[in-house]
Amino acid sequence: MQIPGKLKSGDEIRIIAPSRSACILSEEGIQMAKERLQQLGFTVSFGRHVFEKDLQNSTSIEQRVEDLHDAFSDKQVKGILSVIGGFNSNELLPYIDYELIKKNPKIFCGFSDITATANAITAKTGMVTYSGPHFSSFQMVKGQEYQTHFFTQCLMQDTPFELKPSSQWSDDAWYLDQENRNFEETSWKTYQAGTAAGTLWGGNLCTLNLLQGTDYMPNLENAVLFVEDDEMTIPETFARDLTSLLQTVKSLKALVIGRFQRTSNISEEQLLFILDKHPILKGIPVLYDVDFGHTQPMFTFPIGGEVLVDASAEELKLVRF
């Protein structure tokens, strides 16, 4: 895998909208996110079509692909962040110039619906991409310290490091109310003990599954798989989606599951019931309730990077990213 150059103070980060556009963000929120990135030493620029919108608060395929290509072509741009997630970034995949990206490797980061774009880029180019905060994520006040710490650890340095559990987590709609937040204590949990190392793939489960049967689906054989899902899932759909993904592989190195949102009703009892169905998970390390996905705060991880999983000690270490 090709590791794009790490970010450094003074670098330009381009904000693009492969899915929903910035039209759904408030002017105050946009300014807060921009200022926080500037405080980290970055210069922030925006794609040409980021603030436009159509009937689904996105823009045309052509406009989104143009902004993506412009960001990778611009020699001044060193990193690319998605505005936010959504539902339609997979529309772009047949129209992306993967050779252009391969010739101009740089940081590409986002999560949720951006899972489709990021995994496709890595699968087609061999360049590591990143599952981590959107531009809009930097609006968040409480919980930002943890999120920013691992964002900079992963994207601004290359020394192997451990991903640590957050001290507390929240499932609040923080973007509606930054003050009245409810936080709970955290702990990562072990379903199956053991250690494993390997190439990391994954992100949002239902979005990753959109790639099945296409030329953009990564080869998950002997991978370390990170998956999570959002408030739109329920136990039955998560079970179905996980089953579908596990049926694409003969062997996995490890499985790491992000923490679920409360409205999904995927309790620990439900999750263990789902995991117990799969013999493939009885012989590999499996961790769950881990700090990535749609609860806050979240860490950043490399799609196509190398990770060490120690489920016995409930530890994760990024080795090559």
Side-chain angles (χ1 to χ4, degrees):
M1 288 291 179
Q2 182 180 28
I3 307 294
K6 296 299 183 181
L7 297 173
K8 60 183 184 297
S9 182
D11 280 349
E12 179 179 340
I13 292 180
R14 176 69 52 82
I15 313 303
I16 66 171
S19 192
R20 286 180 296 184
S21 72
C23 68
I24 69 169
L25 306 181
S26 68
E27 290 186 11
E28 180 186 12
I30 291 169
Q31 189 61 30
M32 288 177 65
K34 182 179 179 180
E35 289 178 357
R36 185 161 280 114
L37 288 169
Q38 289 172 335
Q39 289 167 5
L40 294 175
F42 302 122
T43 298
V44 178
S45 62
F46 295 90
R48 179 181 174 188
H49 304 291
V50 163
F51 297 100
E52 299 176 25
K53 68 173 182 176
D54 59 17
L55 288 175
Q56 297 180 346
N57 290 320
S58 183
T59 56
S60 71
I61 292 172
E62 292 79 9
Q63 289 171 322
R64 285 177 281 151
V65 170
E66 179 184 330
D67 282 355
L68 178 70
H69 288 168
D70 284 350
F72 274 102
S73 299
D74 192 328
K75 300 299 183 183
Q76 299 303 313
V77 174
K78 306 302 181 184
I80 304 167
L81 288 182
S82 55
V83 167
I84 199 168
F87 298 93
N88 61 347
S89 77
N90 66 320
E91 293 175 344
L92 309 185
L93 304 185
Y95 309 103
I96 293 174
D97 186 341
Y98 296 100
E99 282 302 310
L100 170 69
I101 293 174
K102 193 172 184 177
K103 293 175 182 177
N104 297 277
K106 57 189 68 177
I107 298 288
F108 178 82
C109 182
F111 75 106
S112 191
D113 189 58
I114 308 305
T115 296
T117 319
N119 278 269
I121 287 173
T122 301
K124 295 290 283 185
T125 69
M127 182 191 79
V128 168
T129 56
Y130 299 88
S131 181
H134 300 303
F135 169 71
S136 57
S137 305
F138 288 93
Q139 301 173 70
M140 185 177 69
V141 177
K142 298 177 181 177
Q144 186 62 238
E145 183 177 356
Y146 178 95
Q147 175 179 275
T148 298
H149 172 75
F150 285 109
F151 176 82
T152 55
Q153 277 277 95
C154 192
L155 302 186
M156 297 186 74
Q157 60 97 28
D158 56 11
T159 304
F161 68 94
E162 290 185 5
L163 293 164
K164 300 286 188 179
S166 59
S167 60
Q168 54 183 2
W169 73 280
S170 173
D171 187 26
D172 296 328
W174 59 267
Y175 44 88
L176 298 177
D177 187 349
Q178 293 265 29
E179 296 300 323
N180 300 302
R181 302 283 304 277
N182 295 304
F183 285 88
E184 304 174 50
E185 292 185 0
T186 58
S187 64
W188 296 354
K189 298 174 183 176
T190 299
Y191 170 76
Q192 184 68 41
T195 61
T199 303
L200 191 164
W201 293 96
N204 182 249
L205 175 60
C206 66
T207 305
L208 181 62
N209 276 0
L210 298 176
L211 303 183
Q212 291 190 49
T214 74
D215 292 337
Y216 315 107
M217 182 68 182
N219 182 355
L220 301 181
E221 288 297 330
N222 295 309
V224 174
L225 188 60
F226 277 45
V227 298
E228 56 84 22
D229 227 323
D230 61 19
E231 63 182 357
M232 297 182 70
T233 195
I234 59 174
E236 291 83 357
T237 56
F238 180 78
R240 179 174 61 183
D241 289 344
L242 181 63
T243 297
S244 177
L245 194 61
L246 293 178
Q247 288 174 351
T248 69
V249 297
K250 296 179 180 178
S251 178
L252 280 179
K253 291 287 187 69
L255 175 65
V256 181
I257 302 171
R259 188 180 294 110
F260 291 95
Q261 293 185 271
R262 294 296 189 200
T263 52
S264 71
N265 291 319
I266 302 181
S267 63
E268 186 170 36
E269 180 183 22
Q270 284 279 1
L271 179 60
L272 297 181
F273 173 75
I274 293 167
L275 299 180
D276 282 344
K277 296 181 178 184
H278 299 287
I280 191 175
L281 303 181
K282 298 295 194 289
I284 63 171
V286 179
L287 280 174
Y288 64 98
D289 275 3
V290 178
D291 291 290
F292 68 95
H294 287 75
T295 62
Q296 298 80 41
M298 62 183 292
F299 58 62
T300 300
F301 61 84
I303 298 168
E306 301 294 321
V307 63
L308 173 64
V309 179
D310 186 343
S312 303
E314 297 169 357
E315 293 179 351
L316 296 170
K317 184 176 184 179
L318 295 184
V319 178
R320 188 168 183 267
F321 51 93

